[in-house]
Amino acid sequence: MAKKRKVRSRNKVSMKRRLGGWILKLGLVFLVLFAALAMYLDAIVQEKFSGKRWSVPAKVFARPLELYAGQHLTRDDFLTELKALGYRSVNSVSGPGQMSVGASRIDVYTRGFQFFEGPEPAQRVSVRFNGQQVASISGSSDLVMARLEPMMIGGIYPAHNEDRILVRLDQASPYLVDSLVAVEDREFFQHFGVSPKGIARAIYVNLTSGSLRQGGSTLTQQLVKNFYLNSDRNIIRKGLEAMMSILLELHYSKEDILEAYLNEVFLGQDGNRAIHGFGLASQYYFAQPLQELQLHQVALLVGMVKGASYYNPRRNPERATNRRNLVLDLMAEQGIISAEQAVTAKNKPLDVSIGGSMADTSYPAFMDLVKRQLRADYRDEDLTSEGLRIFTSLDPLLQHKAEEAVKTTLKRIGPAAENVPLESAMVVTGAQTGEVMAVVGGSDPRFSGFNRALDASRPIGSLIKPAIYLTALEQADRYSLVTRRLNWKRNPARSGRRRITDGKATAWCRSIWPWPSPIIRQRFVWVWMSGLIKCSIRCAGWEWSTIGPLILQCCLARGR
């Protein structure tokens, strides 16, 4: 019996040793795999966070409004432009983005802008009006001309349709960082990426309430989920999120992480375009730069982090107001603001701008023209990821007037036939420069489908006649304004037509006006016809040096 007991005890010891050996080996294997996973995740974290973090779409801007004495600009048009740019009306201007409106004078504090030729500083400008023009402008120094920042009219977005305006931490509103930390992660500046205290608090709140009311994710974990992972709710994703959050905190400062969060968080949807980051959300909801937002506006954006669609202030204003007020109460509770400031902010309206669309739906016909021209010289990946800034010649005031003119005219004319809508299109160009200043693509200016201004085909009729004359006059060796070689004869076979003979070729042209004196004729032909016809042909994408001689040759051949 004693021998059997010794054998059994030896077998137990042997089994324990073997089991311990297996556990040790499995533990070592697990540690090796864990270390490999950590190294792999660490490489991913550093590669994306240290490199190019976002694909920033190209931004398209209208022309900047220039202010100078003698400019043809009414007070109402100037006020319309300021409102479109999001300037706030105050009694006395004291900072960028403010305006003070009087009967014949408007004081404005411009925001400044980084133009392609250099920066335009923010400055206070007083503009006086006299009827239909600017009487004078004045500022802090001897001011001759001032410029407002251009309006952003659209962008060229990548396939995932994410859009954002990148901001630095020092460009944020004073209350933004404090309110965000107070609401989303109170221990942000103390934890190492994961907050055990926050997880424990969330578990307790959810268990006692019987529902999922609070999450335990830190701001770092939220950034990792949005920046690297997805929104799947499973234990594997949560484990990867925690590991990557710790690795992110090991390599980067709290300020870097917070700045990335401000630019990454999802804050709304504009059609197919996703609104990411507080910089773009500020423009989308309030039509103002982020640094100009007031306390009640900052509280609304911070409240929307929990659910941008659920707390959308345009669709659910009452729900958004309650969420904003809760954020203000939390800020007052933690001493970020006083109780009086919280009460004052809660009594203010949401102040959300009307509309809220900065995508191609604002000026679809003009944006169509811009995209066609850009894609002839740039790659799509450059336009959708390099953050290019594209300055155009669009005049928003003239564009609005063109759209109203089309609507009014179509309404006055009425439908072409029963159940057949009448359509129209308009292209407005500068007579001196040939720049396209406004484009209306159809009866509905916001329709982004068929662009009649660029793609509609119809007979041009008598519009071709000035082009013929202009092409002939550009051939100085054969034609001139006072040439006597042109022999005008009545053509008996064609009533109302004249035959032009120069000894080399014959062309038939319908007379469209009697020839005036040479001086008037020269002014009309060379200024009006040259500017109008050349600009129109360039807008259509043609080269005048190519199309002009072809037109003349066709007409000359027809007369032979």
Side-chain angles (χ1 to χ4, degrees):
M1 292 294 295
K3 291 182 178 181
K4 290 182 178 180
R5 288 176 182 174
K6 288 180 180 181
V7 172
R8 288 176 183 174
S9 63
R10 289 175 182 172
N11 290 337
K12 288 180 180 181
V13 172
S14 179
M15 288 181 63
K16 288 180 180 180
R17 288 179 178 175
R18 286 198 297 270
L19 184 60
W22 278 108
I23 293 175
L24 180 61
K25 292 176 182 179
L26 290 175
L28 291 173
V29 172
F30 175 78
L31 287 175
V32 171
L33 293 177
F34 182 80
L37 177 62
M39 293 174 63
Y40 173 71
L41 295 178
D42 186 65
I44 292 178
V45 166
Q46 293 192 65
E47 180 182 6
K48 188 170 183 180
F49 205 83
S50 298
K52 183 180 176 181
R53 299 178 186 176
W54 297 284
S55 294
V56 181
K59 298 292 189 298
V60 182
F61 295 92
R63 62 91 185 95
L65 180 61
E66 297 181 344
L67 303 171
Y68 53 89
Q71 179 188 14
H72 183 78
L73 178 68
T74 66
R75 171 186 173 277
D76 292 339
D77 284 346
F78 185 48
L79 197 57
T80 299
E81 179 103 1
L82 291 174
K83 290 180 178 179
L85 290 170
Y87 278 73
R88 302 191 311 274
S89 182
V90 296
N91 293 327
S92 179
V93 296
S94 58
Q98 297 179 352
M99 63 178 178
S100 177
V101 183
S104 60
R105 166 181 165 180
I106 297 179
D107 296 335
V108 59
Y109 206 121
T110 65
R111 295 190 175 106
F113 191 79
Q114 181 68 38
F115 288 97
F116 53 87
E117 74 274 15
E120 181 84 9
Q123 58 184 327
R124 178 171 176 166
V125 180
S126 294
V127 186
R128 293 183 180 274
F129 295 89
N130 182 13
Q132 301 291 316
Q133 66 179 13
V134 176
S136 65
I137 65 169
S138 58
S140 56
S141 59
D142 296 334
L143 194 62
V144 177
M145 187 189 75
R147 283 189 296 183
L148 297 181
E149 70 277 14
M151 182 188 305
M152 192 175 76
I153 60 174
I156 303 175
Y157 308 108
H160 53 65
N161 279 325
E162 288 186 6
D163 193 13
R164 54 178 50 84
I165 296 177
L166 298 181
V167 296
R168 298 190 306 271
L169 199 58
D170 56 5
Q171 293 177 321
S173 176
Y175 295 108
L176 180 57
V177 173
D178 293 336
S179 59
L180 185 63
V181 172
V183 175
E184 294 294 326
D185 188 0
R186 300 180 186 180
E187 308 293 331
F188 175 73
F189 290 101
Q190 285 77 43
H191 63 65
F192 52 89
V194 177
S195 176
K197 186 187 295 186
I199 295 174
R201 182 174 61 249
I203 292 174
Y204 173 77
V205 171
N206 294 334
L207 288 177
T208 54
S209 63
S211 61
L212 187 62
R213 297 185 58 185
Q214 192 176 75
S217 296
T218 64
L219 282 176
T220 310
Q221 288 178 274
Q222 294 179 41
L223 175 62
V224 167
K225 180 188 70 173
N226 297 327
F227 197 61
Y228 297 100
L229 304 174
N230 52 47
S231 300
D232 294 342
R233 295 191 174 185
N234 54 64
I235 192 65
I236 296 177
R237 201 269 296 165
K238 291 296 291 184
L240 293 175
E241 178 187 291
M243 289 181 63
M244 296 178 77
S245 299
I246 295 172
L247 292 170
L248 192 62
E249 293 266 2
L250 287 175
H251 292 289
Y252 303 98
S253 66
K254 292 286 187 180
E255 289 74 18
D256 289 339
I257 294 172
L258 196 56
E259 184 173 286
Y261 184 91
L262 295 180
N263 290 303
E264 175 61 28
V265 63
F266 173 76
L267 288 171
Q269 192 76 27
D270 178 25
N272 294 328
R273 185 179 62 138
I275 307 298
H276 283 261
F278 284 91
L280 182 60
S282 174
Q283 291 283 358
Y284 178 66
Y285 291 109
F286 305 112
Q288 293 176 350
L290 184 60
Q291 59 268 30
E292 293 182 14
L293 294 188
Q294 299 177 342
L295 174 59
H296 66 289
Q297 297 169 318
V298 172
L300 175 60
L301 292 184
V302 171
M304 292 177 63
V305 171
K306 185 177 181 180
S309 298
Y310 188 77
Y311 296 108
N312 188 308
R314 292 195 177 96
R315 293 201 300 264
N316 307 302
E318 183 177 354
R319 192 182 295 165
T321 302
N322 293 334
R323 178 64 179 170
R324 181 200 67 177
N325 293 343
L326 175 61
V327 172
L328 291 169
D329 288 336
L330 288 173
M331 294 174 68
E333 178 185 317
Q334 298 186 39
I336 300 172
I337 59 175
S338 65
E340 292 77 12
Q341 286 178 300
V343 172
T344 303
K346 285 194 287 187
N347 290 332
K348 290 186 176 181
L350 293 177
D351 281 342
V352 177
S353 62
I354 300 174
S357 179
M358 299 178 300
D360 295 353
T361 52
S362 298
Y363 306 103
F366 187 85
M367 285 298 300
D368 186 18
L369 174 63
V370 171
K371 290 178 180 178
R372 295 188 191 193
Q373 293 181 353
L374 288 174
R375 284 175 175 146
D377 300 316
Y378 293 88
R379 300 180 304 168
D380 283 344
E381 51 266 34
D382 294 333
L383 294 173
T384 58
S385 65
E386 295 299 328
L388 300 178
R389 298 192 308 160
I390 300 157
F391 297 91
T392 70
S393 55
L394 177 76
D395 186 334
L397 296 175
L398 190 58
Q399 175 73 29
H400 176 71
K401 294 177 181 179
E403 293 173 0
E404 291 300 316
V406 168
K407 290 180 181 179
T408 303
T409 303
L410 291 179
K411 185 177 180 180
R412 176 170 48 86
I413 295 175
E418 186 177 356
N419 298 325
V420 179
L422 191 64
E423 281 294 345
S424 178
M426 182 184 293
V427 178
V428 182
T429 62
Q432 302 299 325
T433 63
E435 294 178 338
V436 179
M437 304 174 72
V439 180
V440 182
S443 59
D444 182 4
R446 300 292 172 263
F447 179 65
S448 57
F450 183 69
N451 189 348
R452 289 175 175 81
L454 303 182
D455 298 324
S457 300
R458 56 161 294 170
I460 60 175
S462 296
L463 289 176
I464 197 65
K465 295 171 184 175
I468 298 172
Y469 286 119
L470 180 61
T471 305
L473 293 172
E474 283 188 336
Q475 300 182 27
D477 59 328
R478 300 178 62 189
Y479 307 101
S480 70
L481 291 174
V482 294
T483 179
R484 296 185 179 277
R485 296 184 65 190
L486 292 176
N487 185 17
W488 294 79
K489 296 179 181 179
R490 189 76 175 175
N491 180 21
R494 301 194 181 196
S495 176
R497 304 197 179 196
R498 298 180 184 275
R499 185 172 64 185
I500 306 173
T501 306
D502 65 349
K504 297 181 181 179
T506 303
W508 293 96
C509 300
R510 185 184 301 273
S511 59
I512 55 176
W513 62 78
W515 284 104
S517 64
I519 296 177
I520 299 177
R521 186 192 326 166
Q522 179 178 7
R523 182 180 299 274
F524 183 80
V525 171
W526 288 108
V527 176
W528 185 85
M529 285 202 305
S530 178
L532 177 63
I533 301 304
K534 282 191 174 182
C535 291
S536 301
I537 288 178
R538 285 168 184 167
C539 292
W542 301 332
E543 289 293 337
W544 174 253
S545 59
T546 301
I547 196 67
L550 291 177
I551 295 173
L552 182 61
Q553 290 175 15
C554 291
C555 294
L556 294 176
R558 183 174 179 265
R560 289 193 177 115

